[in-house]
Amino acid sequence: RRGVDMIDFVDAITHAKDYFAKSNEVILDCKETEDSWIFSGGIEGKRKFGINAIEIDKANGNIHLFHLPNKKNFEKLEKSRTIDFLE
């Protein structure tokens, strides 16, 4: 079911790194759902209030802010799996 517009994890992580680099942050966590990847970012070793997260759609590469608390987004997190990756 892979279409021409679908992106892979390598492209997604590149987009996420670029997004977080704009605010001098790095990717701290990655989750995968059926339809997207969810990346959270921050400054390594520093505590931050709240969560800075984005969701990247697998079908088209669109990037959206991933807000919590949000019932739909909590459901996505419950069904997701953690992706191990090296920065």
Side-chain angles (χ1 to χ4, degrees):
R1 190 191 124 179
R2 189 173 177 88
V4 231
D5 296 325
M6 292 183 79
I7 67 166
D8 62 16
F9 181 71
V10 174
D11 291 334
I13 200 165
T14 300
H15 292 312
K17 284 180 182 180
D18 292 345
Y19 176 88
F20 291 116
K22 292 175 188 171
S23 53
N24 296 317
E25 296 178 326
V26 295
I27 298 169
L28 299 177
D29 186 56
C30 177
K31 306 271 188 208
E32 182 178 22
T33 71
E34 186 177 328
D35 301 319
S36 65
W37 292 281
I38 301 164
F39 295 93
S40 60
I43 298 173
E44 215 164 355
K46 290 193 177 183
R47 270 186 168 230
K48 184 177 179 178
F49 181 75
I51 181 175
N52 185 16
I54 58 171
E55 181 175 22
I56 300 179
D57 190 301
K58 289 180 178 179
N60 54 30
N62 287 344
I63 299 173
H64 306 279
L65 292 178
F66 189 81
H67 297 287
L68 292 175
N70 176 294
K71 184 178 179 179
K72 183 179 173 185
N73 286 347
F74 276 128
E75 289 172 1
K76 285 182 183 181
L77 287 178
E78 286 175 11
K79 295 177 183 175
S80 71
R81 69 180 183 99
T82 299
I83 302 290
D84 291 324
F85 65 94
L86 296 175
E87 234 347 304

